[in-house]
C-alpha cells in the first residue's frame, strides 16, 4: 500500500523525484539526504526503486535510515518520534545540543523559567559522560526534565514539540498533526515573535 502511494504516476517504480516529494512532505529532509538514501535502496542501480527493493529496505537493519523509515511508517500516534528526527542534524539519528536549542526555540519553550542555558544543562545531564548526542530513547527524559524546569507536565512539552516537528497530516503513513509556520502557540506555548497572537 505504501509503495503504491509513493508511486505517484503509477508506473510500478519510485523515481528520485517521487521519493524526494514524499520525504519532504513527511519531514525535514535535505536533497542530499534523499539522493543518498535513493542510491542505497536502488540496489540494481537502474535509476528507479522497484517494489522488492523497497520491501528489502523497509525490513533492513540500517540504523542510518531510521528517520526515513519512521517518516513512511510512523511508530507512534502523534508524530513524536518523527519530531525528534526532524530536529536531528541532516543524515544523523541523534540530537546534538545545538539542535535541542533550536527545537526549544521553535516550539516556544524558552521563557523566564526556561532559558537556553537551562536547555544546555538538560542536554548535558541527559547525554552523560563520554557522549555528545541524545538518542531517541533518551528523548522522553529530556522532555520530562524540561517540563520540571517549566513547572508543567511532560505531555504539554510533548505536544509543543510535535506541533513544531511532527509528521504532517494527510500524507502517506501520517498520524500526527501538521507543523505550523513559526510554531505559534505550539502545545500552548507561544514562540518568540508571537506575543500578539498570545494576547501579550
Amino acid at each position: 500500500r505504501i509503495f503504491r502511494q509513493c508511486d505517484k504516476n503509477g508506473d510500478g517504480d519510485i523515481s528520485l523525484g517521487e521519493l524526494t516529494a514524499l520525504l519532504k512532505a513527511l519531514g525535514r529532509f535535505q536533497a542530499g539526504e534523499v539522493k543518498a538514501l535513493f542510491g542505497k535502496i536502488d540496489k540494481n542501480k537502474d535509476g528507479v526503486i522497484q517494489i522488492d527493493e523497497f520491501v528489502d529496505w523497509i525490513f533492513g537493519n540500517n540504523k542510518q535510515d531510521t528517520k526515513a523509515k519512521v517518516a513512511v511508517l510512523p511508530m507512534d500516534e502523534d508524530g513524536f518520534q518523527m519530531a525528534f528526527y526532524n530536529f536531528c542534524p541532516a543524515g544523523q539519528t541523534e540530537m546534538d545540543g545545538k539542535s535541542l536549542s533550536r527545537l526549544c526555540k521553535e516550539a516556544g519553550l524558552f521563557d523566564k523559567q526556561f532559558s537556553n542555558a537551562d536547555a544546555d544543562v538538560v542536554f548535558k545531564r541527559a547525554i552523560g559522560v563520554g557522549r555528545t548526542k541524545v538518542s531517541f530513547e533518551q528523548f522522553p527524559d529530556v522532555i520530562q526534565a524540561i517540563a520540571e524546569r517549566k513547572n508543567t507536565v511532560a505531555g504539554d512539552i510533548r505536544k509543543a514539540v510535535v506541533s513544531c516537528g511532527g509528521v504532517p497530516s494527510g500524507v502517506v503513513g501520517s498520524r500526527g498533526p501538521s507543523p505550523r509556520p513559526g510554531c505559534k502557540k505550539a502545545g500552548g506555548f507561544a514562540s518568540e515573535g508571537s506575543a500578539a497572537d498570545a494576547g501579550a
Side-chain angles (χ1 to χ4, degrees):
R1 172 179 170 269
I2 293 175
F3 183 88
R4 289 197 300 270
Q5 289 181 285
C6 295
D7 177 21
K8 291 296 184 182
N9 64 6
D11 64 356
D13 301 313
I14 298 175
S15 67
L16 176 58
E18 288 171 327
L19 184 65
T20 299
L22 171 72
L23 292 181
K24 287 196 172 184
L26 291 170
R28 301 183 181 190
F29 288 88
Q30 296 183 6
E33 284 183 89
V34 181
K35 187 174 182 179
L37 176 65
F38 186 88
K40 284 194 285 186
I41 303 175
D42 179 22
K43 292 293 187 181
N44 64 8
K45 305 304 177 187
D46 63 351
V48 292
I49 296 172
Q50 279 104 24
I51 190 168
D52 58 335
E53 293 173 322
F54 188 78
V55 171
D56 287 346
W57 171 69
I58 287 291
F59 288 100
N61 194 28
N62 191 331
K63 186 178 179 180
Q64 289 182 326
D65 297 343
T66 301
K67 177 182 175 182
K69 289 183 180 182
V70 169
V72 299
L73 287 173
M75 299 178 187
D76 53 27
E77 292 295 327
D78 62 355
F80 180 65
Q81 190 172 11
M82 192 67 239
F84 172 83
Y85 290 117
N86 274 337
F87 279 99
C88 291
Q92 299 183 33
T93 58
E94 293 187 323
M95 186 181 292
D96 57 20
K98 183 177 179 180
S99 299
L100 177 61
S101 179
R102 180 166 60 90
L103 182 156
C104 291
K105 181 178 180 180
E106 292 191 22
L109 299 179
F110 289 142
D111 55 20
K112 292 180 180 179
Q113 292 178 298
F114 186 70
S115 66
N116 192 65
D118 292 317
D120 189 50
V121 170
V122 167
F123 177 78
K124 288 179 179 177
R125 288 181 178 175
I127 61 175
V129 179
R131 288 181 53 81
T132 60
K133 295 176 183 176
V134 168
S135 67
F136 175 72
E137 288 71 25
Q138 296 170 304
F139 195 47
D141 293 333
V142 171
I143 297 299
Q144 180 62 43
I146 294 174
E148 290 172 1
R149 285 180 174 263
K150 289 178 66 64
N151 194 29
T152 187
V153 295
D156 286 346
I157 304 300
R158 179 177 176 127
K159 288 177 183 177
V161 169
V162 170
S163 292
C164 257
V167 180
S169 60
V171 289
V172 175
S174 170
R175 291 194 289 258
S178 298
R180 285 166 267 176
C183 302
K184 295 180 180 179
K185 297 185 181 178
F189 297 96
S191 63
E192 292 183 13
S194 62
D197 298 288

